[in-house]
Structure formats: C-alpha cells, structure tokens
Amino acid sequence: MATAAPPSTSASPPEIRLVTGQGRTRVVASGVWLVHSMGVLGVLDRLARDLPAMARNPGAVDWDLSGVTKLDHFGAQYFWKLWGKCRPEHLVLGPHHDEFFDRLYHFGDVRLPDPERLRFAWVYALGQGMINFGIHGVAFLRMVGQLVIDLGRLVRNPAKGPWLEVSANIFHGGAQAMGITALVGFLIGIVLSYLSAQQLRMFGADIYIVNILGMSIIRELGPVLAAILVAGRSGSSITAQLGVMRVTEELDAMLVMGIPHGFRLILPRVLALGIVMPLLVLWTSAMALLGGMVAANISLGMSFGFFIEQMPGAVSLPNLWLGVGKGVAFGMLIALTACHFGLRIEPNTRSLGQGTTASVVTAITMVILADAVFAILFKNVGV
C-alpha cells in the first residue's frame, strides 16, 4: 500500500519582495510560512539578506501578507519581531491570519510576577534551618530508640534474627571495600612518610618517623580515613537502597505484611557496619603503615625489619584499641545516618538524589565531629 509523501517545502518557500512606487515602499510576502518551511537550513538567513534595513521600520513601509498561503505561530512570530512587537499602520493580511497576530498582541508580553522579596530573609532561613534540624534530630533519636528495642528482641531470641541480611551487608560493606581502602591507605601512608622524612632529615631525627606514622595512622588517620570511604561508598548505597524501596512502595508492602522496618532493614545494616568497620580500620591502618615503610625505606634508607621492630615501642596498645573502638562507633553512626535519610526519601527521583547526597555529607560530618569528641575524651589515653 502506497503512503503519502510528506509535504514539500521547496514548492512554495517563504519569499519577501520589495515593491517601490508612488513614494512608498511595499513589502510583499508570499509562500508557505510554516515552521517546517522556515526551518530549512539557510532560509531565515536568506530572508534577512533579502530584507533591507529600510523595510525593518514598520512605519516607513506597507506590508502585504495576502500572498501568504499558509501561516503558523512560528511564521507570525517572525513578522511580529520584524515589526518591533506592534502592528504596522498599513498592513494587509490573508484570511484567518489575523488571529495569530491578535494572540501575539494580547499574550506576547505577558510576564511572570516578580517574586516577593522578604525583609530579613536570613532570619527566615535561619529559623527554617533550626526547625529542620530539630525535625531530623527527633526522628534520629526515635530511630536510635527503636534500634535499642530491636537489639533487646534479638538478644532474647537470637535464632530469629536477620542473620542473612547481616552477612550480606558485611560482604557488601566490608569485603568489597577492602580494595579501595587498601589503595587509598597505601597512598596516604606514602605521602605522609615522604613529608615527614623531609622535615626529620633537617634535624637528624630520622628514627622518629616510626612514632609519627604509628601514632597518626593507628590512632587518628586510619579510623577517619576508613570511615570517610565507607560513608561515601556503603552509606550512599544504604540510602539509595532504602530510597528505591520507598519509590517502588516496597516499604509500604512490608508494613502491610507486618514486617517491621527497624528489625529487618535498620538493625542488620547497623550490626554489619559495627562489625566490619573495626576490621576495615585495622586493614586500612596496616596498608597505610606499609606505604609509610616503603617511603621511609626509599627516602631514609630505613629497613622494613627496623620499622616493624620499633613500632610496638612507638605506639602503645591502648592507641590500637582506641582506633578499633572508633571504628565500631563510626560504623554504627554511618549506618544510622544512612538509614535515617533513606527512610525519609519521598517517592520521586529528585528526592532520591538529594537524600543520598545529604546522607553522605551528614555522615562524613558526623564522623569528624565524633572523632573530635573521642580526641577530647581520650586525650590522656596511650600518651
């Protein structure tokens, strides 16, 4: 069966002619002034060349559009801009063309109202921020209370605990994160060792590089570095998972079936990161120390055996336990923050992106604040 061919735009393309006589200049337009006709490459440029500057003054010329066979809003808009957005005094239009220009006259200059400017807008913003902070704080405390109740339920009946979910989160949040934490830790160790070696060489105190690397990595840098990486990797993943469950209404289906969110979604993730974070802290610290040893051997000529031999005397055991304890606290804090923002996501994709971003930023901020609290509370430990 034959199909109709598309309308040809070359049969009657848009044309403009200048006709002079009796002391007046008349602009005569003809052809098809439709969007698919004027959209042909070069048509608008050719029309602009064919129309001299004197014809652009609507009061100095007469306009005859009676020869225009077809006209749409795009073509009418072209003439309307030539006329300076007002109808010329001498104008001849074809049938049914007047309605296009009437619509442009009534609605062409419609502007949106200017937004109302509030006085003392910073006061409103500060108040709204405090309200949002209070709302998030109350919801976070409520979630922590529910977590304590779920932990009591798990202790009373451990056989019915969500152990499959816990093991799955340990694998995804711990085992799969070993590569990136090892790489970043190794590189940070190299950088820190090189910078320290340059300063220590000036004072002939090369041996103290073991003390600097050991204390800074095991006590502070290792836990914080691992927590930031886990917050950006696993924290965002947890928030996105819960957010997608909100978008696909899986969370509502769980409530309908009587499955509590806290026991099946929050508790496994908090337990998993609480278990895996201390191990990642030890792993990251070991890789950072390895990088420091390599850099110390290259820059200072310090052997690996001497470095390992001096490490126990430079860093006491309480510092190691402090770093491990930080890992437990940081892991549970990251999981709680990620779950909090994940459960507050609205069922739309924009909220999913905003919630994930807010979760990562808040988790990293909470980790740094918690590390500052640890530094103040345990300032005399391991010194």
Side-chain angles (χ1 to χ4, degrees), residues 239-241 243-244 247 345-346 348-357:
T239 304
Q241 288 173 2
V244 171
V247 173
I345 287 178
E346 299 176 358
N348 58 76
T349 54
R350 180 180 180 183
S351 178
L352 178 61
Q354 292 177 345
T356 304
T357 303

Side-chain angles (χ1 to χ4, degrees), residues 207-325:
I207 191 175
Y208 290 104
I209 193 173
V210 180
N211 301 64
I212 294 176
L213 292 180
M215 288 293 293
S216 60
I217 291 175
I218 294 177
R219 183 173 177 130
E220 293 293 336
L221 193 57
V224 174
L225 184 61
I228 291 176
L229 292 174
V230 170
R233 184 186 179 278
S234 302
S236 60
S237 176
I238 291 173
T239 304
Q241 288 173 2
L242 298 180
V244 171
M245 294 179 70
R246 174 72 70 186
V247 173
T248 57
E249 300 181 352
E250 293 181 56
L251 296 179
D252 298 332
M254 291 180 62
L255 292 179
V256 171
M257 292 185 294
I259 302 176
H261 293 166
F263 193 75
R264 286 295 175 181
L265 297 179
I266 300 177
L267 179 63
R269 288 166 171 81
V270 173
L271 286 179
L273 287 189
I275 294 172
V276 79
M277 267 301 297
L279 303 178
L280 284 179
V281 167
L282 294 176
W283 170 254
T284 306
S285 300
M287 291 297 103
L289 291 175
L290 179 61
M293 283 193 296
V294 173
N297 179 263
I298 295 174
S299 60
L300 300 177
M302 185 176 295
S303 65
F304 294 161
F306 178 79
F307 196 101
I308 297 174
E309 182 182 352
Q310 294 296 319
M311 182 62 65
V315 183
S316 58
L317 191 60
N319 292 292
L320 179 62
W321 288 115
L322 181 59
V324 173

Side-chain angles (χ1 to χ4, degrees), residues 64-104:
D64 185 2
L65 273 63
S66 59
V68 176
T69 57
K70 292 183 180 181
L71 182 70
D72 62 0
H73 183 79
F74 186 82
Q77 185 74 30
Y78 180 79
F79 285 109
W80 189 253
K81 291 181 178 180
L82 287 179
W83 299 338
K85 297 185 178 181
C86 62
R87 297 181 63 142
E89 182 179 357
H90 303 284
L91 174 64
V92 179
L93 297 175
H96 308 296
H97 292 170
D98 194 66
E99 59 185 22
F100 291 104
F101 299 102
D102 288 340
R103 190 179 299 114
L104 289 173

Side-chain angles (χ1 to χ4, degrees), residues 103-376:
R103 190 179 299 114
L104 289 173
Y105 174 76
H106 291 291
F107 302 104
D109 293 332
V110 175
R111 295 181 180 179
L112 295 176
D114 295 332
E116 182 181 0
R117 294 185 178 181
L118 297 176
R119 298 181 61 184
F120 305 105
W122 64 273
V123 178
Y124 292 93
L126 179 61
Q128 186 63 44
M130 295 178 64
I131 293 174
N132 292 336
F133 181 80
I135 293 174
H136 282 281
V138 171
F140 189 83
L141 290 177
R142 186 182 294 114
M143 187 177 61
V144 171
Q146 183 62 47
L147 176 64
V148 174
I149 296 174
D150 293 334
L151 284 174
R153 174 184 172 184
L154 180 64
V155 170
R156 289 193 303 268
N157 193 356
K160 293 185 178 180
W163 301 115
L164 290 178
E165 290 88 346
V166 172
S167 62
N169 283 278
I170 288 177
F171 174 73
H172 293 296
Q176 292 186 341
M178 293 180 65
I180 185 63
T181 54
L183 176 62
V184 175
F186 185 81
L187 296 177
I188 291 295
I190 291 178
V191 173
L192 185 60
S193 179
Y194 266 118
L195 295 178
S196 302
Q198 291 178 1
Q199 300 299 319
L200 294 175
R201 189 185 295 111
M202 296 173 57
F203 301 97
D206 299 355
I207 191 175
Y208 290 104
I209 193 173
V210 180
N211 301 64
I212 294 176
L213 292 180
M215 288 293 293
S216 60
I217 291 175
I218 294 177
R219 183 173 177 130
E220 293 293 336
L221 193 57
V224 174
L225 184 61
I228 291 176
L229 292 174
V230 170
R233 184 186 179 278
S234 302
S236 60
S237 176
I238 291 173
T239 304
Q241 288 173 2
L242 298 180
V244 171
M245 294 179 70
R246 174 72 70 186
V247 173
T248 57
E249 300 181 352
E250 293 181 56
L251 296 179
D252 298 332
M254 291 180 62
L255 292 179
V256 171
M257 292 185 294
I259 302 176
H261 293 166
F263 193 75
R264 286 295 175 181
L265 297 179
I266 300 177
L267 179 63
R269 288 166 171 81
V270 173
L271 286 179
L273 287 189
I275 294 172
V276 79
M277 267 301 297
L279 303 178
L280 284 179
V281 167
L282 294 176
W283 170 254
T284 306
S285 300
M287 291 297 103
L289 291 175
L290 179 61
M293 283 193 296
V294 173
N297 179 263
I298 295 174
S299 60
L300 300 177
M302 185 176 295
S303 65
F304 294 161
F306 178 79
F307 196 101
I308 297 174
E309 182 182 352
Q310 294 296 319
M311 182 62 65
V315 183
S316 58
L317 191 60
N319 292 292
L320 179 62
W321 288 115
L322 181 59
V324 173
K326 285 183 179 182
V328 177
F330 292 166
M332 299 181 69
L333 191 60
I334 292 170
L336 285 171
T337 304
C339 291
H340 167 74
F341 282 96
L343 293 176
R344 293 181 64 86
I345 287 178
E346 299 176 358
N348 58 76
T349 54
R350 180 180 180 183
S351 178
L352 178 61
Q354 292 177 345
T356 304
T357 303
S359 171
V360 174
V361 174
T362 305
I364 294 176
T365 305
M366 295 285 285
V367 165
I368 296 175
L369 290 176
D371 184 67
V373 173
F374 271 99
I376 296 174

